[in-house]
Amino acid sequence: MPRQGLEVEKKRRMLPKVIEPTATLVTDKDYLPILLALLSIAKSSIDILAFSFAIGSAGGKLNTESSPYKIAQKLKDLKKKHGKKLRIRLYIEGLRETSDRNQVTAKFLADAGVEVVYGATHAKGFCIDEKYVLFGSTNLTHQSILKNNEANLFLDNKVVATEFTKYFNHLWLGGTHGGVELNLPMIADGDFKKILLQMINTAKSRLEFSIYFFHQADIEKALIKAHERGVKITGFVHQHGAFALSYIRRNRSTVKRLREAGIKDIYFSVPNKFSHAKYLVKDRKEIALGTGNWLDEDINIHPQLYIYLTDITLAKSLVKHIAWQISHQATED
């Protein structure tokens, strides 16, 4: 876990005293303790979007020592304690490759009184009491919570919570990708592409990003044009030696073209480490962070959530996070 640049956030993370921060970066292993503490203060509602929530195997064998199980057990305990006073809703992916393990978790929670709806989503996050939001790249898997490079935001912001809830309700009631428009700073589904292009096209000095999968022509071309007008670009791109190799090949082809265009400060993660974060920082002032990969299918098909903020403190924290990753977990090859 990188320490540089996160001192301010860590001082603010003495949950459940979650009143001070408006936007706090939550990376890597910090996610679980913050989430559990947030759940503890819930009084009226917990809304959960989950692409992958795995408390056991697809065959139904539970892993009671895993991080996802701790989250599920916490939800179960809260429901038992508060009963009808605390409404807990889970909207969970039920169509794609994560659905088998998701069904095991969903049944466990439904048996505890949690309301469950299956659907399509790559968005992920929690909204507590329609006030606090924790969302970003982390899936509710043991791998994602404890081993991956991840980037999330904790927000104590009524506007953000209102828009998160609006998006949640859209999916909960049967809505699909592209069927809802959110008010900034929240961005629904493929609209994050427009924000990314706007940021890239108006950057004056620097663009820094971390991305899991990147193979999208318009974003790639915009970065090359930004470089040509003198914007310094630094990128950290995921690679792996044994997982999702078709996407890794697409990542490598994108990076090859960026480097051939003169963008040299593009780094790959080491092959045995998942770098699952998805964010862009413009001029060390503006950030866009969310759940969508920079892929046509994530823009056009799979439900996503992003947030766009002007926040210098947060931008600096993300920049330092990228720098730590590059210095500790990167390869140029």
Side-chain angles (χ1 to χ4, degrees):
M1 167 63 200
R3 295 185 178 277
Q4 185 181 15
L6 300 183
E7 293 85 357
V8 173
E9 287 81 355
K10 287 195 173 185
K11 290 178 182 178
R12 291 174 170 178
R13 288 178 185 171
M14 301 305 292
L15 298 171
K17 295 180 180 179
V18 287
I19 303 302
E20 182 183 351
T22 55
T24 300
L25 179 62
V26 179
T27 58
D28 308 340
K29 293 181 181 180
D30 284 348
Y31 183 86
L32 182 61
I34 289 175
L35 173 58
L36 293 176
L38 265 177
L39 295 177
S40 295
I41 66 170
K43 296 179 180 179
S44 60
S45 66
I46 301 173
D47 288 336
I48 309 162
L49 290 171
F51 172 68
S52 185
F53 194 167
I55 66 171
S57 69
K61 184 178 180 180
L62 302 184
N63 182 357
T64 58
E65 300 301 316
S66 71
S67 299
Y69 186 87
K70 292 178 183 178
I71 297 168
Q73 185 63 49
K74 180 73 170 180
L75 294 167
K76 180 179 179 179
D77 292 343
L78 287 169
K79 190 62 183 174
K80 181 178 180 180
K81 178 180 179 180
H82 297 289
K84 292 182 179 179
K85 292 182 180 179
L86 177 62
R87 187 182 190 191
I88 305 177
R89 298 187 294 173
L90 169 65
Y91 183 88
I92 191 165
E93 174 65 40
L95 304 176
R96 297 171 68 191
E97 66 274 8
T98 64
S99 61
D100 288 345
R101 292 197 299 171
N102 285 350
Q103 289 175 23
V104 175
T105 306
K107 184 180 185 304
F108 177 89
L109 292 173
D111 289 346
V114 173
E115 300 172 50
V116 177
V117 168
Y118 294 99
T121 182
H122 192 249
K124 56 211 83 175
F126 290 76
C127 185
I128 313 297
D129 294 339
E130 298 187 10
K131 182 179 181 183
Y132 306 117
V133 172
L134 177 63
F135 95 106
S137 65
T138 299
N139 286 306
L140 302 180
T141 68
H142 197 69
Q143 170 78 35
S144 186
I145 293 169
L146 291 186
K147 297 180 180 181
N148 289 2
N149 288 320
E150 305 281 1
N152 304 268
L153 293 183
F154 163 64
L155 301 117
D156 172 9
N157 186 298
K158 193 70 174 176
V159 173
V160 170
T162 295
E163 296 305 302
F164 183 101
T165 303
K166 179 180 177 181
Y167 187 72
F168 181 94
N169 286 334
H170 167 72
L171 296 178
W172 185 261
L173 296 173
T176 58
H177 178 282
V180 64
E181 184 174 345
L182 301 181
N183 295 312
L184 289 173
M186 299 301 284
I187 306 157
D189 301 332
D191 287 346
F192 75 86
K193 176 187 172 183
K194 301 174 186 176
I195 296 295
L196 293 178
L197 291 176
Q198 175 184 306
M199 292 172 68
I200 296 168
N201 291 337
T202 58
K204 295 180 179 179
S205 60
R206 301 186 69 103
L207 289 164
E208 288 141 309
F209 67 86
S210 181
I211 191 63
Y212 184 53
F213 293 143
F214 183 5
H215 192 262
Q216 209 291 317
D218 293 333
I219 297 173
E220 177 186 323
K221 290 175 183 177
L223 287 171
I224 292 172
K225 288 183 179 179
H227 165 74
E228 290 172 347
R229 66 174 189 270
V231 176
K232 179 174 174 54
I233 297 171
T234 303
F236 189 72
V237 181
H238 169 72
Q239 73 167 342
H240 200 274
F243 180 79
L245 295 184
S246 64
Y247 286 100
I248 299 304
R249 287 191 289 270
R250 293 165 76 182
N251 279 358
R252 295 189 70 85
S253 67
T254 298
V255 170
K256 180 181 179 182
R257 288 189 296 273
L258 291 174
R259 288 174 172 171
E260 288 175 346
I263 304 174
K264 301 302 183 183
D265 291 331
I266 305 291
Y267 302 86
F268 285 112
S269 64
V270 290
N272 61 347
K273 182 78 172 181
F274 284 85
S275 183
H276 194 240
K278 305 156 179 69
Y279 61 85
L280 173 71
V281 182
K282 170 193 167 185
D283 294 333
R284 299 191 169 179
K285 297 179 181 179
E286 301 174 28
I287 70 106
L289 180 149
T291 67
N293 294 296
W294 299 355
L295 300 170
D296 287 335
E297 51 265 51
D298 273 27
I299 293 165
N300 298 324
I301 301 172
H302 306 309
Q304 311 287 352
L305 269 181
Y306 259 76
I307 189 167
Y308 167 75
L309 296 169
T310 298
D311 186 321
I312 294 175
T313 299
L314 179 60
K316 288 181 177 179
S317 293
L318 283 167
V319 167
K320 289 179 179 179
H321 188 243
I322 294 174
W324 185 91
Q325 289 179 307
I326 291 172
S327 64
H328 289 77
Q329 297 179 350
T331 172
E332 294 185 7
D333 299 323

